[in-house]
């Protein structure tokens, strides 16, 4: 039982006086009622009064503490004297219900530190056991620490005044609006203190008759009287104790004992009183009075919630029947009750299947395009225009694009498609396909542009020496780049094979797990990316240096330079972005895969589509086939064509020289100014040598 602003109420047993308790309740044994009151509910004073009562006559049987702080202290001490204490143990009830109290905080004057500790401990559901004045201090600190809102719910004692948070209090420095914001949504519970039904109680009074008589006895405004709301409970508690003592007395008589025989060492009488209390059941002014096995009053509990600054009834709980009547009118900030702690749900974040399918379709079409370009290049390899573009290097480019596009598929495979055991193989497949695809596709283009730059940007004497193109050197350069990748990947796989790493994140209060590519060797990635980055930068430089060069040896070097520009820009942007977005699986996959797809598309279109267009529009492949069929020569007729061109140029030069000689004849003489010997000297000539 709780009595506002009252520390202890004790009922003591006397031997010499017969008492008739008010409201016509007569008991058959002698009893004296003594009340001790502490206005401040001071545990220290309560302890003092407790020991004074215990060590002074008459002997006490039952203690009825009021304040919670006093009740706890009295209950702990009273057990040593076999006394009965009307105190319900919250901890025990919570354990029986299968709940857990994670931690406790207590304070005497300033609640600032305990409130900060609650926030630090990530408390979500908080039960506050304090009086109204302390409640205002607590919620002022709650507002400052933002320990309210959709993540929190507070449970408070229900017998505060309805406007307790609006009362001006010099002990706090929060405004009324701030207090209203902090307390919004909290829940209160209190026992139904007055029977709502108009039925007669054991005292032959209804609840309304009891209130009228009590107001008449008080003679003042009930709102100004401390404990007025709890009076029905106190009245029924006295009835319960009187009936229990009366029943105990009858039982003791059967054993040859009396209540007067009780002392602080007599546990048998204490047990009889417990049994009598637990078996009590009657109708009181507060409702049906019955106790559970632990001696706690089983009654209806009113549940209210502060909604918009006004308390609304949201349900009742009948502990006698263990029945909860819920009105379903509760309102929660955020739309739902808060969780009591951060839920740890192990869930893997998978790649969006729509995104994966879309990119896979683009990659498949790109592979088909690469196969078409490769077939076109092989089929038209005899055409001189194709031969002058170094078709074998272009074939390597098409194969490299195919490998790079194929890497898109393992790049999008995650735990949704494969198990943990296959993940290491998928990781290796990604790296090998991308590495070899890049070396073949970009390496063949880089080799072309490097040869053009080497030949046409050197001094004249060196340029003449290197104008002869030796294809095997180009192939060897590409082979060197591919070989470096193969050796690097093999060493990497042996030293630190790639595997799935787990990354834990939090979204919406739920912990999520992402499996992605990883390993212990972080420097391996730096070396791999650094080498590729240098090749890209060098390729951009060479393409810029040779943009105005024209040569028949490699007739598509300008297209190669354009492809290098696009590939380099896409790769240099995508690599750091994907590393930054590695924890966002959809964004990382989209950037990486689309960069591979677009780079491959651009390379294939820039290198092969102009060749297709030229051969189709000019019909060059047809004329080459006809010339081959007429002469019966082999498909490779470069030398014959060169000879025809040289003869034609010689004839044109002879005509020009003849005209020059005629213009240089000296007037009056048959000899020219310059005797140009085109053939052997004429011994019979009379013209002088100059």
């Amino acid at each position: 039982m709780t009595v506002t602003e009252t520390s202890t109420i004790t009922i003591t047993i006397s031997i010499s006086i017969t008492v008739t308790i008010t409201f016509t309740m007569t008991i058959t044994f002698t009893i004296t009622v003594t009340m001790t009151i502490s206005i401040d509910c001071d545990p220290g004073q309560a302890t003092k009064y407790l020991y004074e009562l215990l060590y002074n006559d008459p002997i006490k049987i039952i203690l009825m503490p009021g304040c919670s702080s006093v009740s706890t202290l009295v209950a702990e001490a009273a057990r040593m004297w076999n006394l009965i204490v009307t105190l319900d143990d919250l901890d025990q009830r919570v354990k029986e219900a299968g709940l857990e109290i994670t931690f406790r905080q207590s304070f005497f004057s300033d609640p600032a530190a305990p409130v900060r500790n609650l926030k630090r401990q990530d408390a979500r559901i908080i039960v506050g056991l304090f009086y109204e004045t302390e409640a205002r201090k607590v919620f002022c600190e709650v507002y400052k620490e933002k320990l309210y809102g959709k993540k929190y719910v507070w449970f408070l004692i229900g017998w505060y005044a309805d406007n307790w948070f609006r009362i001006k209090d010099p002990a706090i420095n929060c405004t009324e609006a701030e207090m209203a914001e902090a307390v919004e949504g909290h829940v209160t519970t209190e026992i139904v203190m007055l029977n709502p039904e108009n039925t007669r109680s054991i005292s032959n009074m209804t609840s309304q008759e009891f209130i009228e008589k009590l107001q008449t006895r008080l003679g003042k405004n009930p709102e100004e009287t401390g404990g007025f709301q709890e009076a029905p409970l106190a009245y029924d508690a006295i009835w319960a104790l009187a009936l229990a003592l009366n029943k105990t007395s009858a039982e003791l008589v059967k054993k040859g004992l009396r209540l007067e025989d009780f002392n602080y060492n007599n546990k048998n009488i204490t047990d009889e009183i417990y049994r009598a209390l637990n078996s009590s059941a009657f109708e009181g002014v507060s409702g049906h009075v019955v106790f559970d096995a632990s001696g706690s009053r089983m009654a209806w509990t009113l549940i209210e919630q502060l909604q918009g600054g006004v308390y609304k009834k949201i349900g009742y709980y009948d502990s006698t029947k263990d029945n909860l009547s819920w009105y379903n009118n509760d309102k929660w900030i955020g739309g739902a009750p808060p969780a009591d702690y951060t839920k740890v749900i192990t869930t893997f974040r998978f790649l969006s299947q729509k995104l994966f399918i879309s990119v896979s379709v683009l990659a498949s079409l790109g592979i088909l395009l690469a196969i078409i370009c490769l077939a076109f290049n092989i089929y038209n390899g005899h055409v001189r225009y194709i031969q002058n573009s170094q078709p074998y290097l272009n074939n390597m480019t098409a194969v490299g694009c195919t490998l790079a596009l194929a890497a898109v598929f393992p790049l999008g495979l995650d735990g949704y498609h494969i198990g943990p055991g296959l993940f290491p193989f998928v990781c290796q497949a990604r790296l090998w396909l991308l590495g070899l695809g890049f070396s073949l596709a970009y390496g063949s283009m880089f080799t072309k542009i490097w040869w053009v730059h080497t030949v046409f940007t050197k001094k004249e004497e060196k340029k003449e020496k290197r104008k002869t193109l030796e294809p095997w050197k180009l192939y060897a350069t590409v082979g060197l780049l591919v070989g470096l990748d193969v050796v690097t990947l093999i060493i990497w796989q042996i030293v630190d094979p790639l595997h799935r790493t787990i990354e834990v994140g939090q979204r919406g209060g739920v912990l999520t797990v992402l499996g992605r590519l990883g390993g212990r060797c972080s420097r391996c990635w730096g070396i791999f990316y650094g080498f590729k980055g240098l090749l890209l930068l060098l390729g951009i430089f060479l393409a810029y240096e040779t943009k105005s060069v024209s040569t028949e040896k490699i007739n598509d070097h300008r297209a190669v330079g354009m492809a290098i520009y696009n590939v380099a820009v896409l790769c240099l942007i995508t690599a750091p972005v994907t590393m930054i977005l590695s924890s966002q699986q959809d964004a990382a996959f989209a950037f990486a895969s689309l960069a591979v797809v677009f780079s491959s598309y651009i390379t294939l279109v820039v290198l092969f589509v102009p060749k297709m267009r030229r051969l189709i529009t000019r019909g060059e492949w047809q004329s080459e086939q006809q010339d081959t069929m007429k002469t019966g020569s082999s498909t490779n007729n470069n030398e014959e064509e060169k000879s025809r061109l040289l003869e034609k140029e010689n004839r044109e030069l002879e005509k020009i020289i003849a005209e020059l000689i005629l213009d240089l004849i000296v007037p009056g003489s048959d000899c020219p100014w310059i005797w140009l010997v085109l053939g052997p000297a004429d011994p019979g000539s009379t013209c002088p040598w100059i």
Side-chain angles (χ1 to χ4, degrees):
M1 181 190 69
T2 304
V3 179
T4 305
E5 302 295 345
T6 303
S7 62
T8 58
I9 300 178
T10 61
I11 297 180
T12 62
I13 297 298
S14 177
I15 298 176
S16 58
I17 304 175
T18 300
V19 176
T20 299
I21 297 184
T22 310
F23 306 126
T24 67
M25 177 180 68
T26 305
I27 53 180
T28 60
F29 53 87
T30 57
I31 183 171
T32 300
V33 179
T34 305
M35 298 183 65
T36 304
I37 298 176
S38 173
I39 299 300
D40 297 328
C41 293
D42 186 353
Q45 284 186 333
T47 305
K48 175 185 175 184
Y49 293 146
L50 173 64
Y51 286 103
E52 288 179 355
L53 289 170
L54 292 176
Y55 289 102
N56 290 285
D57 292 331
I59 295 175
K60 286 65 176 187
I61 297 178
I62 298 174
L63 300 177
M64 297 178 64
C67 303
S68 300
S69 57
V70 172
S71 299
T72 303
L73 186 62
V74 171
E76 292 296 329
R79 297 172 184 173
M80 306 301 296
W81 284 268
N82 292 315
L83 294 172
I84 298 174
V85 181
T86 58
L87 173 67
D88 189 14
D89 189 351
L90 176 62
D91 288 358
Q92 185 65 28
R93 283 298 190 92
V94 166
K95 291 178 181 178
E96 291 175 357
L99 303 177
E100 178 187 0
I101 299 178
T102 55
F103 56 93
R104 300 170 178 81
Q105 291 291 323
S106 60
F107 65 94
F108 292 102
S109 58
D110 186 6
V115 171
R116 283 195 296 269
N117 290 337
L118 288 174
K119 185 175 183 180
R120 190 179 302 113
Q121 296 291 338
D122 193 28
R124 303 296 183 87
I125 299 178
I126 308 169
V127 179
L129 300 176
F130 32 71
Y131 289 97
E132 185 177 316
T133 53
E134 281 71 25
R136 284 190 286 269
K137 297 178 183 178
V138 169
F139 276 90
C140 184
E141 297 299 327
V142 165
Y143 176 81
K144 296 175 183 178
E145 297 295 332
K146 304 301 179 185
L147 200 65
Y148 63 93
K150 64 180 182 180
K151 291 174 56 178
Y152 307 96
V153 59
W154 283 81
F155 285 86
L156 301 180
I157 300 170
W159 40 259
Y160 297 167
D162 288 347
N163 63 341
W164 65 271
F165 55 90
R166 293 191 176 95
I167 297 175
K168 293 184 179 180
D169 192 338
I172 63 174
N173 56 356
C174 293
T175 64
E176 181 180 330
E178 293 172 344
M179 291 291 293
E181 181 179 350
V183 301
E184 179 65 22
H186 79 267
V187 178
T188 65
T189 58
E190 61 176 325
I191 192 171
V192 177
M193 300 180 185
L194 192 65
N195 191 351
E197 299 179 358
N198 192 25
T199 58
R200 293 284 173 181
S201 66
I202 192 172
S203 62
N204 199 30
M205 285 189 299
T206 65
S207 57
Q208 292 301 321
E209 291 173 351
F210 171 79
I211 293 297
E212 292 172 0
K213 290 185 178 182
L214 182 60
Q215 290 177 347
T216 303
R217 291 289 185 92
L218 289 174
K220 59 180 180 179
N221 187 358
E223 295 182 358
E224 299 177 358
T225 303
F228 178 82
Q229 292 180 347
E230 295 80 13
L233 296 178
Y235 182 71
D236 286 343
I238 298 295
W239 263 100
L241 290 175
L243 293 173
L245 291 174
N246 197 31
K247 186 175 182 180
T248 302
S249 178
E251 292 295 327
L252 291 177
V253 169
K254 297 177 183 179
K255 299 178 181 181
L257 298 173
R258 299 179 305 162
L259 279 175
E260 292 84 349
D261 297 333
F262 174 80
N263 57 58
Y264 297 140
N265 297 318
N266 195 332
K267 192 173 184 301
N268 293 328
I269 296 179
T270 302
D271 293 338
E272 286 291 338
I273 297 174
Y274 264 120
R275 282 191 289 270
L277 273 173
N278 291 342
S279 62
S280 299
F282 61 92
E283 292 295 330
V285 294
S286 62
H288 187 68
V289 179
V290 64
F291 299 91
D292 60 14
S294 63
S296 298
R297 168 78 182 272
M298 300 177 67
W300 281 55
T301 301
L302 172 63
I303 308 171
E304 293 182 318
Q305 185 183 38
L306 189 68
Q307 300 177 3
V310 179
Y311 284 103
K312 298 290 182 66
K313 296 179 181 179
I314 60 175
Y316 282 95
Y317 175 68
D318 184 2
S319 58
T320 60
K321 300 178 181 178
D322 193 24
N323 179 53
L324 177 65
S325 300
W326 199 252
Y327 296 166
N328 291 321
N329 62 341
D330 50 313
K331 295 181 181 179
W332 303 97
I333 301 173
D340 56 347
Y341 61 96
T342 301
K343 293 183 178 179
V344 180
I345 301 176
T346 303
T347 176
F348 280 92
R349 286 181 277 153
F350 298 123
L351 181 67
S352 170
Q353 295 307 296
K354 293 181 180 179
L355 176 63
F356 177 62
I357 293 173
S358 301
V359 176
S360 298
V361 170
L362 289 176
S364 301
L365 294 176
I367 292 174
L368 180 60
L369 176 61
I371 294 173
I372 293 173
C373 293
L374 180 61
F376 164 81
N377 215 48
I378 294 174
Y379 181 76
N380 296 285
H382 63 280
V383 179
R384 182 169 56 86
Y385 180 72
I386 299 297
Q387 290 176 346
N388 287 343
S389 66
Q390 296 301 316
Y392 290 109
L393 291 179
N394 289 339
N395 292 344
M396 294 180 188
T397 301
V399 173
C401 290
T402 303
L403 294 177
L405 290 168
V408 170
F409 301 104
L411 194 65
L413 294 178
D414 53 17
Y416 183 83
H417 304 93
I418 59 175
L422 294 177
F423 214 94
F425 300 101
V426 174
C427 291
Q428 298 297 339
R430 296 176 186 178
L431 200 58
W432 279 84
L433 288 173
L434 280 175
L436 296 181
F438 179 87
S439 295
L440 281 173
Y442 184 80
S444 57
M445 295 190 296
F446 176 83
T447 301
K448 283 185 180 182
I449 209 74
W450 170 76
W451 183 86
V452 173
H453 180 272
T454 302
V455 172
F456 290 95
T457 59
K458 299 296 181 180
K459 294 181 179 180
E460 292 297 327
E461 61 272 13
K462 294 184 178 180
K463 188 187 299 183
E464 292 296 331
K465 294 180 181 178
R466 303 188 65 173
K467 272 191 176 180
T468 302
L469 177 60
E470 299 179 6
W472 70 268
K473 293 184 178 180
L474 302 179
Y475 307 150
T477 304
V478 178
L480 178 62
L481 295 176
V482 174
L484 286 175
D485 265 0
V486 171
V487 172
T488 302
L489 292 174
I490 290 175
I491 296 175
W492 191 349
Q493 188 169 354
I494 294 174
V495 174
D496 182 29
L498 295 176
H499 57 276
R500 182 174 68 172
T501 59
I502 300 300
E503 177 181 302
V504 180
Q506 183 170 351
R507 293 183 178 182
V510 178
L511 294 180
T512 59
V513 179
L514 174 65
R516 59 189 181 92
L517 187 68
R520 298 184 303 273
C521 182
S522 58
R523 288 178 294 181
C524 298
W525 286 105
I527 296 172
F528 190 75
Y529 279 134
F531 175 65
K532 302 297 183 185
L534 289 176
L535 281 180
L536 291 170
L537 293 175
L538 184 57
I540 293 175
F541 170 75
L542 296 177
Y544 177 79
E545 287 286 306
T546 59
K547 65 181 185 298
S548 59
V549 174
S550 177
T551 175
E552 289 295 328
K553 301 290 185 181
I554 301 178
N555 58 17
D556 62 349
H557 76 278
R558 287 195 177 90
V560 170
M562 186 181 299
I564 287 176
Y565 283 139
N566 288 278
V567 172
V569 170
L570 283 172
C571 292
L572 292 175
I573 292 175
T574 303
V577 170
T578 52
M579 295 180 68
I580 295 173
L581 299 177
S582 60
S583 60
Q584 303 179 29
Q585 68 276 12
D586 289 344
F589 173 75
F591 267 95
S593 59
L594 291 179
V596 173
V597 169
F598 288 144
S599 298
S600 301
Y601 270 88
I602 290 171
T603 300
L604 294 172
V605 170
V606 169
L607 287 185
F608 292 97
V609 171
K611 296 179 177 63
M612 296 179 182
R613 182 174 177 275
R614 173 163 177 162
L615 265 62
I616 293 173
T617 56
R618 297 188 182 185
E620 291 188 11
W621 83 93
Q622 294 178 353
S623 61
E624 292 288 346
Q625 290 175 349
Q626 292 171 0
D627 291 342
T628 303
M629 292 174 64
K630 288 180 181 179
T631 57
S633 62
S634 64
T635 56
N636 190 0
N637 56 0
N638 285 344
E639 296 299 330
E640 183 179 350
E641 182 66 21
K642 290 179 181 179
S643 298
R644 288 199 298 267
L645 291 174
L646 288 174
E647 290 177 0
K648 183 178 179 181
E649 291 176 359
N650 285 337
R651 287 193 295 270
E652 292 177 355
L653 286 173
E654 287 176 358
K655 291 180 181 180
I656 294 172
I657 291 171
E659 292 176 359
L660 289 173
I661 290 173
L662 293 176
D663 292 338
L664 293 174
I665 296 295
V666 180
S669 171
D670 294 332
C671 296
W673 282 86
I674 300 174
W675 184 256
L676 183 60
V677 179
L678 297 178
D682 187 1
S685 175
T686 59
C687 293
W689 289 89
I690 299 176

